[in-house]
Amino acid sequence: MSDSFILQGDILYSESPSCIRAVRDGFLVVEKGICQGVFETLPAAAAHTEVTDYRGRLIIPGMTDLHLHAPQYAFRGMWMDEELLDWLNRHTFPIEARYADAQFAREAYAQFRDAIRRSATTRAVMFATIHRDTTVQLMDLMEETGIISYVGKVNMDRNSPDILREENAAKSLADTVLWLDETEGRYAHTHPILTPRFVPSCSDELMEGLGRLSYERGLPVQSHLSENVGEIAWVKELCPWSAHYGDAYDRYGLLGSGAKSVMAHCVHSSEEELQLMKARGTFIAHCPDSNANIASGIAPVRHYLDEGLHVGLGTDVAGGATLSMFAVMREAVQHSKLRWRLKDDSLRWLTFAEAFYMATVGGGAFFGRVGSFARGYEADILVLDDHVLKTPLMSELTLPERLERVIYLGHSTCILHKYVRGAQLF
Amino acid sequence: MSDSFILQGDILYSESPSCIRAVRDGFLVVEKGICQGVFETLPAAAAHTEVTDYRGRLIIPGMTDLHLHAPQYAFRGMWMDEELLDWLNRHTFPIEARYADAQFAREAYAQFRDAIRRSATTRAVMFATIHRDTTVQLMDLMEETGIISYVGKVNMDRNSPDILREENAAKSLADTVLWLDETEGRYAHTHPILTPRFVPSCSDELMEGLGRLSYERGLPVQSHLSENVGEIAWVKELCPWSAHYGDAYDRYGLLGSGAKSVMAHCVHSSEEELQLMKARGTFIAHCPDSNANIASGIAPVRHYLDEGLHVGLGTDVAGGATLSMFAVMREAVQHSKLRWRLKDDSLRWLTFAEAFYMATVGGGAFFGRVGSFARGYEADILVLDDHVLKTPLMSELTLPERLERVIYLGHSTCILHKYVRGAQLF
């Protein structure tokens, strides 16, 4: 199939956090996988390009899931009645250790692949485990989906159980280099990302080595930051030299000073930490489902947007229970309202338009010009059937009203077609 | 089909808020629609009763949706970026007014019927609108489902738009009596419930008349209580004689002093109001999805359970976006964690077991002995296929772990079979 085409339908995309452009029966023109814009009438220059008729369907940009743990998909929706550190030690670490087993990993990752393929996600940034071989398995499976992703072999050399700890910093780094060399040039859609699990799991020597590796090879970085108050206190003990948790990454060039960096959560970031992230261009992956499930709190996302920080959304499976970006958008809005009511009514809650912006443009920016249908953006597209959400009001609804309903009620069964960079996945 | 039968499978039900009884490959014995208990081996007395083999499936009690608005199903998942009073005036009231039209109501209520029929709900307490004829339509449709429900023709005679206000208290009461007389003896599963919308919509004269009607005919009552801070301030103005919002119902016998009463929300109830509800045996319908969506807040449910109040769960469609009781259970847990973190860490969060208890036994008690499989309870049963929630860990999971996954991930497609009072609906 050609990567130059036109889709006609009810088209919506974000022009800014507060503004959604909506064109009924509009034309989305794609040339060589790149959006040429959305038009109310077919432009003359595109007269010879084939038009696919999706009138009556919603056409929106694909979503970026900016933070998730692929191995944790196997235990999504369980053991939620605990906080982060207990949850890691009692459940997450023992199960991640099983990804040393290629057979277990193959079955688990194949189920994950099937689910993310059918989801609203067209771009993803994910953790694997410390295991090099099965991380490559995961990358092979992600490549099959056509979704464009960053996948990280995890680094952990301290404060972790024997079954899920690399022997020392040198071996962790050597294994990471082996993994990078082994996968180089192997994929069209799947990229490596350096992945120190979080400060408590990584020695200073390991962090320093990863910073060097990022600098030398221009590799992006993902990790966790200021998720839980107990975790933050622990980092303070482990890194008495750091001004704050974010500084413990920045000291090693892992906060975005070189290649780009995405930090999950930032629920409890200090103003100083935020200003450093702003200076570094760090991406924040806001993960409301996870932050509720493991009782971390509610990040002041309104403040982050006002400050001009890069904010996208993440499912954070399996702190988050679901791969659905629809659910995450809905929860971002809901939890911002609860924060407004319970904690600080000077920060106005998020609208559904803002959640939609973060899920598309906000997170998409980690991948470049992604998440919009404006001219020059890569063509990641979802075609949705919202008529499955029956209502006698359907014919009276505006396009933004229909979009809001999909955000609140939609799930993967609403997704008829998905395109990534102009290629149709289904 | 007989209402005496035995189901074999992986059976779970609440013995108390904190304790779930789980029996793998157990036998649930039902005689004439009443549970005789759950047994590890087939009891001799039941040797001649037919056993249906659901081994490998989860068998749990049906759910009670203790508060929802059937007419609002038509606009679920929309206009969520507003608070209660604006949301009512701008959207809810104009659409409810359209239920004067039998054709509109027929289409909308038929969609609602199809959705609730397929849901986890086996008992429901719901608002219709002020319109007598279409309230009867709704009752006819609910009767078709086999679900046991209370349906209320709404009373509103003040502070409402002309298109959705009854002329005066006398006409509102007369219409209510007509509706009661017209539907008396008409249904096996569908019962009337008196439904003053909330204090702001009902004059003192109307409230007094409804209190008398409840007393004379032994009719239960449903309404809203202490949902939103603006609403509470308004009630204080409207009823300067009342000690608190709850007192404004109680003065007319509408809080459960006579027949039973269920009050939705109670997000901001004072200690005095709670003690009055305790004295009256009032049921609280906790509606976390709605309370987030229209920015009401988070009710301190832990405190209500500790106080021994009757607490069940409600979807509150369409303040809540979904009819899924799975979603409501999940949100009850999530929001209790957010409240613990943001507001008051002396109130420990709710566990999934407690949410399950409220959704089954807690709300079921409004209907009598409902929501458990203990001997003497009416047999409301769901048979669930949780293998659709694929994971390579499935064979290792305990039954409570599988139940937790269904609460976090389940939706109506997981429901294979549903029984109400021993009758199989599908």
Side-chain angles (χ1 to χ4, degrees), chain B residues 3 32-34 123 148 188-189 191 378-380 419-423:
Chain B
D3 57 0
K32 299 196 164 98
I34 304 297
R123 310 266 171 158
I148 296 174
H189 310 299
H191 310 286
E378 299 182 20
D380 288 11
Y419 300 72
V420 177
R421 209 190 269 155

Side-chain angles (χ1 to χ4, degrees), chain A residues 393-418:
Chain A
L393 302 173
M394 185 60 87
S395 64
E396 304 168 28
L397 300 180
T398 66
L399 300 194
E401 285 168 341
R402 286 170 55 196
L403 176 62
E404 185 179 4
R405 294 185 80 227
V406 166
I407 289 173
Y408 277 90
L409 302 168
H411 44 79
S412 59
T413 53
C414 291
I415 305 171
L416 295 177
H417 303 289
K418 175 156 125 177

Side-chain angles (χ1 to χ4, degrees), chain A residues 333-341 349 408, chain B residues 80 292-293:
Chain A
V333 172
Q334 285 186 323
H335 297 181
S336 75
K337 290 168 177 169
L338 295 175
R339 192 179 195 285
W340 171 85
R341 174 65 73 198
W349 64 61
Y408 277 90
Chain B
M80 288 302 193
N293 286 334

Side-chain angles (χ1 to χ4, degrees), chain A residues 73-83 95 98 104 107-108 111 228-229 268 289 291-298 321-322 330-331 333-335 337-343 348-353 388-393 396-397 401-402 404-405 408-409, chain B residues 73-83 95 98 104 107-108 111 228-229 268 289 291-298 321-322 330-331 333-335 337-343 348-353 388-393 396-397 401-402 404-405 408-409:
Chain A
Y73 185 71
F75 63 89
R76 68 200 183 283
M78 278 192 295
W79 308 314
M80 287 304 193
D81 290 339
E82 297 181 7
E83 268 192 273
I95 292 192
R98 295 172 67 171
F104 180 84
E107 186 183 355
Q111 290 177 350
N228 172 286
V229 291
H268 305 282
D289 191 37
N291 296 339
N293 286 334
I294 49 180
S296 301
I298 306 174
T322 167
R330 183 185 71 236
E331 291 188 38
V333 172
Q334 285 186 323
H335 297 181
K337 290 168 177 169
L338 295 175
R339 192 179 195 285
W340 171 85
R341 174 65 73 198
L342 271 69
K343 177 117 173 179
R348 187 72 190 161
W349 64 61
L350 301 172
T351 62
F352 85 89
V388 299
L389 310 174
K390 284 182 189 165
T391 166
L393 302 173
E396 304 168 28
L397 300 180
E401 285 168 341
R402 286 170 55 196
E404 185 179 4
R405 294 185 80 227
Y408 277 90
L409 302 168
Chain B
Y73 185 72
F75 62 89
R76 67 201 184 282
M78 279 192 293
W79 308 314
M80 288 302 193
D81 290 340
E82 298 179 7
E83 268 191 272
I95 293 192
R98 295 172 67 172
F104 180 85
E107 186 183 353
Q111 291 178 350
N228 172 286
V229 291
H268 305 283
D289 192 37
N291 296 338
N293 286 334
I294 49 179
S296 302
I298 306 175
T322 167
R330 184 185 70 237
E331 291 188 38
V333 173
Q334 285 186 322
H335 297 181
K337 290 169 179 171
L338 295 175
R339 192 179 196 285
W340 171 84
R341 174 66 73 196
L342 271 68
K343 178 117 173 178
R348 187 72 190 161
W349 64 61
L350 300 172
T351 63
F352 84 89
V388 299
L389 311 173
K390 286 182 187 166
T391 167
L393 302 173
E396 306 168 27
L397 299 180
E401 285 168 341
R402 286 170 56 196
E404 185 178 7
R405 294 186 79 226
Y408 277 89
L409 302 167

Side-chain angles (χ1 to χ4, degrees), chain B residues 17 21 24 39 59 78 83 135 188 230 236 266 273 317 357 373 400 422:
Chain B
R21 181 171 177 224
R24 198 179 291 268
F39 303 91
I59 300 177
M78 279 192 293
E83 268 191 272
T135 298
K236 188 103 208 129
C266 304
E273 186 167 279
V317 161
Y357 175 86
F373 292 151

